[in-house]
C-alpha cells in the first residue's frame, strides 16, 4: 500500500537551466506539470550562482531548494530522505553541457528528461547511452513533436500497413527568424547557439533539423543506411549553417529528404512530413496539428481530425488526447505527452518493477544518439564535399 501511494504521488522535478529570458525552461515546467503529475521542487537555473538562485525564486521554488549550480542541486537533493528528494531532473541548458549534467544525475539515481539535441559529439552520446544502461533510471529526450495525437495516428497507420510499402519520406522544418537579427547585438536569449564550442558545429541542423529527422524516424521506423548533405550559412550573425538538406537512403529500401532552414522569410515553425507508400500517402504539418491527410490515387482525400471519440482514431492517438474533438490541442499538450509517457515508466520503477526492452513512445537515449549521429554524418558529408556517408 505504501509503495502504491508513493507511485501515485506527484513526482518532484528539479529544473536545470532555463532561467532568466530562457524560453525552453518554462516550456519544460509547463509541460511537466500540465497533468498535475509533477511539481517543480528544485532548481539551478543559470551557470551564474546568483542568477541561478534568483531565477529559481522567481519561479516559485523554495529558497532552500534554489541552488547555485547543478552540482549543488544533485548533491543536496541526493542527501535528502527518499520521500523528500526530487525524482527527476529536466535539463534545459546549452548543448555542450548535457552529457556532464545527465551522467551526474543518473549516477545519483535521478531520472532525466533532456532537451534536444542530446549532445554535440558521438563520444558524449555513447557515454550517455552507457550511463543510462548502467543506471536503473528513465531517460527521455524532448523531441516533443512526437507527442502530437495525429503524429501517433500516422505512426500507427503506417505500422498497420495502410500505406503499403514505404518508398519516400520528406520532412522539413523551416523558419525565418534569423532575418530579424542584428549581427551587432547580443540576442536576449540563445546567444550560445552561435558559439560552436557550446552549440556544436551543427547550427540550424542541430536546432531544428534534428526535430525533422526524429519525426521521420518516429513515424516511419526507417533505419538510415547512408546519407548525403549540403549546408549553407546565409545569416550574417554567425558562421554556422542556417539552411541545409540531407538525402537519405534507408535499409528498408525507401529514400528520404530532410530540409531545415532558419532563413526562409515569413516562415514561423513550419515542421511538416510527407510519406509516400505503394498504397497511399500521408501528410501532416505542425502549424495545423489537428489534421492528418491521407491520399490514394482516384480517391477523395481523407482528412483525419484529432477526435478521441471518433471510430477512426487509433489507440495511441486517443491516449495522447486531453480534450474532445474540435478543441485544438497543440505544442504544450504534445510536449506534456512526452513527460506523461516518461512519468509512466518512472512510476513503474518506484513500484519496484523492472523496465524491459520493449520500445517506448517517448524519445529515448537511443533516439538521442541517432540524432547526434545524423548531425555528425551531415557535417562529415559537407566536409567531404557532399560525399555519401555510411550511417
Amino acid at each position: 500500500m505504501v509503495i502504491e501511494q508513493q507511485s501515485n504521488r506527484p513526482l518532484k522535478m528539479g529544473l536545470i537551466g532555463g532561467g532568466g529570458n530562457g524560453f525552453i525552461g518554462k516550456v519544460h515546467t509547463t509541460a511537466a506539470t500540465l497533468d498535475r503529475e509533477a511539481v517543480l521542487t528544485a532548481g539551478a537555473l543559470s551557470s551564474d550562482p546568483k542568477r541561478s538562485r534568483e531565477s529559481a525564486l522567481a519561479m516559485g521554488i523554495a529558497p532552500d531548494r534554489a541552488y547555485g549550480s547543478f552540482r549543488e542541486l544533485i548533491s543536496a537533493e541526493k542527501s535528502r530522505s527518499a520521500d523528500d528528494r526530487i525524482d527527476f531532473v529536466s535539463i534545459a541548458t546549452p548543448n555542450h553541457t548535457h552529457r556532464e549534467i545527465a551522467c551526474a544525475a543518473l549516477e545519483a539515481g535521478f531520472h532525466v528528461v533532456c532537451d534536444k539535441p542530446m549532445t554535440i559529439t558521438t563520444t558524449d552520446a555513447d557515454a550517455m547511452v552507457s550511463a543510462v544502461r548502467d543506471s536503473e533510471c528513465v531517460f527521455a529526450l524532448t523531441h516533443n513533436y512526437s507527442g502530437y495525437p495525429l503524429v501517433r495516428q500516422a505512426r500507427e497507420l503506417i505500422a498497420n500497413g495502410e500505406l503499403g510499402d514505404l518508398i519516400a519520406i520528406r520532412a522539413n522544418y523551416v523558419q525565418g527568424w534569423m532575418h530579424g537579427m542584428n549581427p551587432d547585438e547580443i540576442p536576449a536569449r540563445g546567444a550560445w547557439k552561435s558559439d560552436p564550442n557550446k552549440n556544436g558545429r551543427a547550427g540550424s541542423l542541430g536546432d531544428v533539423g534534428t526535430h525533422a529527422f526524429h519525426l521521420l524516424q518516429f513515424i516511419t521506423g526507417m533505419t538510415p543506411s547512408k546519407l548525403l548533405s549540403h549546408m549553407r550559412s546565409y545569416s550574417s550573425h554567425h558562421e554556422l549553417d542556417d539552411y541545409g538538406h540531407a538525402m537519405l537512403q534507408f535499409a528498408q529500401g525507401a529514400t528520404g529528404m530532410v530540409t531545415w532552414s532558419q532563413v526562409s522569410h515569413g516562415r514561423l515553425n513550419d515542421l511538416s512530413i510527407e510519406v509516400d507508400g505503394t498504397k497511399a500517402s500521408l501528410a501532416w504539418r505542425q502549424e495545423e496539428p489537428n489534421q492528418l491527410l491521407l491520399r490514394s490515387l482516384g480517391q477523395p482525400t481523407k482528412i483525419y481530425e484529432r477526435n478521441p471519440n471518433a471510430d477512426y482514431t487509433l489507440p495511441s492517438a486517443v491516449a495522447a488526447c486531453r480534450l474532445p474533438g474540435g478543441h485544438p490541442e497543440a505544442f504544450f499538450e504534445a510536449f506534456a505527452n512526452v513527460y506523461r509517457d516518461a512519468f509512466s515508466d518512472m512510476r513503474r520503477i518506484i513500484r519496484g518493477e523492472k523496465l524491459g526492452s520493449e520500445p517506448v513512445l517517448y524519445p529515448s537515449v537511443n533516439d538521442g544518439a541517432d540524432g547526434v549521429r545524423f548531425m555528425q554524418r551531415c557535417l562529415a558529408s559537407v566536409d567531404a564535399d557532399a560525399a555519401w556517408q555510411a550511417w
Side-chain angles (χ1 to χ4, degrees), residues 312-325:
Y312 60 72
T313 305
L314 298 172
S316 61
V318 172
C321 293
R322 290 173 179 77
L323 300 173

Side-chain angles (χ1 to χ4, degrees), residues 8 67 88 103 123 142 229 267:
N8 290 330
Y67 299 107
F88 69 97
C103 289
T123 300
T142 53
S229 182
R267 308 297 276 275

Side-chain angles (χ1 to χ4, degrees), residues 70 93 105 206-207 242 283 321 348:
F70 82 85
T93 59
D207 199 17
D242 47 46
C321 293
R348 288 175 61 192

Side-chain angles (χ1 to χ4, degrees), residues 23-234:
F23 158 74
I24 202 64
K26 296 178 179 65
V27 171
H28 275 274
T29 303
T30 300
T33 61
L34 183 65
D35 298 311
R36 299 187 179 181
E37 284 201 53
V39 58
L40 179 60
T41 303
L45 275 57
S46 172
S47 57
D48 177 89
K50 183 173 183 292
R51 286 200 301 269
S52 177
R53 295 188 178 93
E54 289 174 348
S55 295
L57 293 173
M59 291 185 69
I61 295 171
D64 65 327
R65 301 182 96 158
Y67 299 107
S69 70
F70 82 85
R71 294 181 186 85
E72 183 184 350
L73 181 151
I74 290 172
S75 175
E77 290 295 321
K78 185 179 179 181
S79 69
R80 290 177 176 266
S81 64
D83 62 349
D84 186 40
R85 67 171 67 108
I86 59 171
D87 296 287
F88 69 97
V89 299
S90 294
I91 301 173
T93 59
N95 300 343
H96 72 296
T97 66
H98 291 177
R99 180 201 59 78
E100 182 180 16
I101 298 170
C103 289
L106 292 164
E107 185 178 349
F110 297 125
H111 305 294
V112 172
V113 180
C114 183
D115 208 49
K116 45 58 57 187
M118 189 170 78
T119 185
I120 61 177
T121 69
T122 52
T123 300
D124 282 355
D126 290 343
M128 294 170 79
V129 170
S130 295
V132 174
R133 186 186 302 121
D134 294 341
S135 75
E136 296 183 355
C137 298
V138 169
F139 181 99
L141 193 71
T142 53
H143 278 301
N144 53 292
Y145 302 107
S146 64
Y148 279 103
L150 289 179
V151 165
R152 296 186 174 189
Q153 175 89 358
R155 173 187 169 105
E156 200 166 344
L157 285 171
I158 290 171
N160 291 344
E162 294 294 324
L163 272 64
D165 294 330
L166 302 190
I167 58 177
I169 309 105
R170 296 170 297 282
N172 307 309
Y173 200 149
V174 184
Q175 301 174 327
W177 59 269
M178 280 194 179
H179 286 295
M181 295 190 69
N182 186 335
D184 297 324
E185 294 180 1
I186 297 176
R189 62 180 177 87
W192 59 269
K193 291 185 178 183
S194 298
D195 183 349
N197 294 315
K198 296 179 179 180
N199 181 81
R201 290 178 57 209
S204 298
L205 165 61
D207 199 17
V208 295
T210 51
H211 271 311
F213 173 72
H214 177 263
L215 185 67
L216 180 155
Q217 280 204 303
F218 180 81
I219 286 180
T220 69
M222 293 285 106
T223 304
S225 59
K226 61 180 180 179
L227 67 75
L228 178 151
S229 182
H230 177 73
M231 291 187 277
R232 291 285 302 275
S233 178
Y234 293 100

Side-chain angles (χ1 to χ4, degrees), residues 291-313:
Q291 289 191 339
L292 171 70
L293 305 183
L294 190 72
R295 300 181 175 97
S296 185
L297 181 65
Q299 300 296 317
T301 298
K302 182 182 291 187
I303 302 176
Y304 289 96
E305 294 186 321
R306 190 205 60 80
N307 185 352
N309 298 317
D311 291 339
Y312 60 72
T313 305

